[in-house]
Amino acid sequence: MVDRFERFSFAIFEISRYWHKITAGEMEKYGLKGPYSVYLTAMYRYPDGIAAPQLCELCGKDKSDVSRAMSLMEQKGLVRKEGGHHNRYGGAFKLTEEGTAAAEYVRQRASLAVQIAGEDLSDENRAIFYESLERIASKLREMSKEGLPQK
């Protein structure tokens, strides 16, 4: 059991580490660090805007990180805030036209990276892999809220 947990943990850590390395290079063209790619891709799914608390939840970041990221992305012309002008957490953040183009670029590059990384997998294995990851993530999210059951 520990071996399976270690393999899973190390694989997830490695995927995350190398993904952040790849995105660091991709985000340089926008004057941003790699982790900001998560915000762009999350916001892309919400063309009508998304509130800061939702971004926190989707991206696994705290309020201060979201606030800093949105402030910097606003300065770069990638994001604009609508509503809640006095409070950084009120209203919604929307991608600008330039931000949408940046998000599309990042999504394309991410898609290419995943395609190349998984090219040795059959379609069936790839489908099983993604379904398995989604189920594991869902159950871990549930346990993080409710606590780990006693066995």
Side-chain angles (χ1 to χ4, degrees):
M1 182 71 138
V2 172
D3 179 51
R4 190 169 59 183
F5 171 75
E6 287 175 358
R7 287 178 59 200
F8 172 79
S9 296
F10 288 136
I12 294 297
F13 174 75
E14 228 179 344
I15 288 168
S16 179
R17 181 170 49 127
Y18 290 124
W19 172 244
H20 280 69
K21 274 184 145 181
I22 291 167
T23 59
E26 299 299 327
M27 295 303 290
E28 279 179 1
K29 92 183 243 180
Y30 302 104
L32 298 170
K33 295 182 179 184
Y36 287 90
S37 65
V38 171
Y39 294 117
L40 286 175
T41 56
M43 293 179 71
Y44 187 80
R45 296 187 323 203
Y46 297 88
D48 294 330
I50 184 169
Q54 286 178 284
L55 272 174
C56 291
E57 181 70 25
L58 278 175
C59 300
K61 304 290 185 178
D62 62 29
K63 286 182 181 181
S64 62
D65 193 71
V66 168
S67 181
R68 281 190 302 273
M70 292 302 104
S71 179
L72 181 59
M73 290 172 71
E74 279 183 292
Q75 290 172 18
K76 303 272 183 192
L78 301 172
V79 171
R80 74 174 176 274
K81 181 133 188 286
E82 295 183 350
H85 299 290
H86 302 295
N87 180 345
R88 195 125 206 84
Y89 301 106
F93 291 99
K94 288 179 80 168
L95 291 174
T96 62
E97 199 172 306
E98 186 179 345
T100 299
E104 287 171 350
Y105 171 79
V106 168
R107 287 170 54 93
Q108 288 171 352
R109 299 299 289 166
S111 181
L112 177 62
V114 170
Q115 177 186 345
I116 292 169
E119 68 188 2
D120 294 341
L121 296 174
S122 69
D123 288 343
E124 181 181 355
N125 283 344
R126 193 175 297 111
I128 291 168
F129 173 72
Y130 290 130
E131 182 182 332
S132 298
L133 281 178
E134 287 172 9
R135 290 178 86 183
I136 290 168
S138 174
K139 288 183 181 210
L140 288 173
R141 182 175 34 254
E142 187 179 306
M143 284 186 283
S144 75
K145 291 177 183 174
E146 297 174 10
L148 189 61
Q150 299 297 322
K151 287 240 172 181

